Amino acid sequence: MSEGVTKKFMYLNRKAPYGTIYALESLEVVLIGAAFEQEVNLVFIDDGVYQLKGNQNTSVNSGIGVKDFSKTYRALEDYDIDKLYVDKDSMTARGLTEGDFIVPVQVMDSAQLAELMQQQDVILSF
Amino acid sequence: MKFSVLVNEGPYQHQASDSAYQFTKAALEKGHEIFRVFFYHDGVNNGTRLTVPPQDDRNIVNRWSELSKQYNLDLVVCIAAAQRRGILDVNEAKRQGKDSNNLADGFRISGLGQLIEAGIQAERMVVFGD
Amino acid sequence: MLHTVNKSPFERVSLDSCLRFAKPKDAILLYEDGVYGALAGTRFESTMTEALKKFRIYVMVPDVEARGMKVDRVMAGIQPVDYAGFVGLVEENCPVQAWL
């Protein structure tokens, strides 16, 4: 179908989890994107940084009654997805530190992320 | 030039589908190729033929169907998002044991791989959403 | 690259974030409720005046007119486009990032 073509895909997440479905459905695209052997850059800006908060406590049968999908972020490395970038200003503005996150991430300033953005072939924003 | 379009919101609630339609139409009229329009999140609701908007307003679903017919446009509804929201074609309705289907003319249901392929094949990807 | 902003700056941070991540010479298109950020006489006018020094900024005229205004309410320096103009911006710039 598209053999041999590798493009740089950025998945840019700017929405908090649970309030809307964007975070969960974005993650579903990311996993498929990795299966297509495209370069995957996962970026979290604005409220998107809340997606990575550890200790999310909900299940279909308790709490808000919604599946906790945050564990999927831990599975990303099994798909060779290791480029997770968090915008530093978004993180600090929300009182978060790297220690809050469910997986290791690379914290970048806006200039670095802006540069990364320019290098992409495709940006899927959620 | 070859474009792909991603529509993340349903019809009427948000302007996203309207803007995506106007963009797609303008691109086609300029002679560009639209490799695919992919409908995701609530955007899958653009693909139900059961909508009945007031007669003095635009019919968003029919508008997409007609554009598809005119330009042989590939309109793809994400299967996972569609199943969550009750959008089914004949085969899916059968497979899921449902008593009805509702996919509009010109749309087809397929996997998320079609979105990735749209990104790979097209020279530009334009996202419309909320 | 091209950035699109379709949200009012009074409601969301989309425009703020866009301006934070855009690089000099980038194109920015304000459309849908994003057009409110292009108008003269709002509290975002000084922000946009600064932004115009760095970026090429465009506004979707059909969205301005739908909302009860004419192009004469748009700040000087912000260039009016229609949907064909939007297509042109996508032709000229890659990638495209939608600040939803």
Side-chain angles (χ1 to χ4, degrees), chain A residues 10-13 23-36 38 40-42 44 73 76 79 81 124 126, chain B residues 40 112 116:
Chain A
M10 177 180 283
Y11 300 88
L12 212 173
N13 298 284
L24 183 154
E25 287 190 330
S26 160
L27 207 44
E28 292 182 345
V29 184
V30 169
L31 296 176
I32 299 288
F36 271 66
Q38 301 299 301
V40 173
N41 295 283
L42 248 176
F44 300 87
Y73 295 106
L76 289 176
Y79 292 80
I81 299 170
L124 294 175
F126 299 100
Chain B
Y40 197 44
L112 273 172
I116 305 302

Side-chain angles (χ1 to χ4, degrees), chain A residues 1-2 5 7 9 11 15 21-26 28-29 32-33 36 38 67 121-126, chain B residues 6 8-9 14 40-42 80-81 84-85 112-117 119-125 127 130:
Chain A
M1 179 162 42
S2 310
V5 183
K7 283 194 169 184
F9 277 69
Y11 300 88
K15 307 255 164 74
I21 198 172
Y22 300 104
L24 183 154
E25 287 190 330
S26 160
E28 292 182 345
V29 184
I32 299 288
F36 271 66
Q38 301 299 301
K67 183 174 88 173
D121 296 304
V122 178
I123 304 179
L124 294 175
S125 32
F126 299 100
Chain B
L6 172 61
N8 285 341
E9 297 300 333
H14 295 280
Y40 197 44
H41 303 302
D42 275 359
R84 282 190 180 111
R85 294 164 177 88
L112 273 172
Q114 299 273 306
L115 171 59
I116 305 302
E117 196 205 7
I120 296 168
Q121 294 295 334
E123 295 159 270
R124 300 285 188 277
M125 167 71 76
V127 181
D130 179 52

Side-chain angles (χ1 to χ4, degrees), chain A residues 25, chain B residues 41 44 77-88 109:
Chain A
E25 287 190 330
Chain B
H41 303 302
V44 298
V77 169
C78 169
I79 188 163
Q83 285 179 340
R84 282 190 180 111
R85 294 164 177 88
I87 307 293
L88 299 163
I109 291 185

Side-chain angles (χ1 to χ4, degrees), chain C residues 8-85:
Chain C
S8 164
F10 296 97
E11 192 203 354
R12 304 242 194 139
V13 298
S14 307
L15 179 61
D16 276 344
S17 294
C18 169
L19 296 176
R20 198 151 62 83
F21 289 95
K23 296 193 78 169
K25 308 268 192 274
D26 278 358
I28 299 171
L29 170 67
L30 307 174
Y31 77 113
E32 295 180 3
D33 288 348
V35 301
Y36 292 119
L39 303 177
T42 77
R43 76 175 153 87
F44 290 95
E45 188 167 356
S46 56
T47 304
M48 295 311 281
T49 302
E50 283 308 300
L52 276 165
K53 292 174 187 166
K54 286 188 278 182
F55 314 118
R56 296 170 287 142
I57 306 180
Y58 304 84
V59 67
M60 178 63 71
V61 174
D63 279 315
V64 172
E65 293 181 344
R67 288 160 178 78
M69 282 156 301
K70 293 213 171 85
V71 179
D72 59 12
R73 292 283 284 269
V74 171
M75 291 175 61
I78 296 183
Q79 299 169 58
V81 292
D82 56 9
Y83 292 103

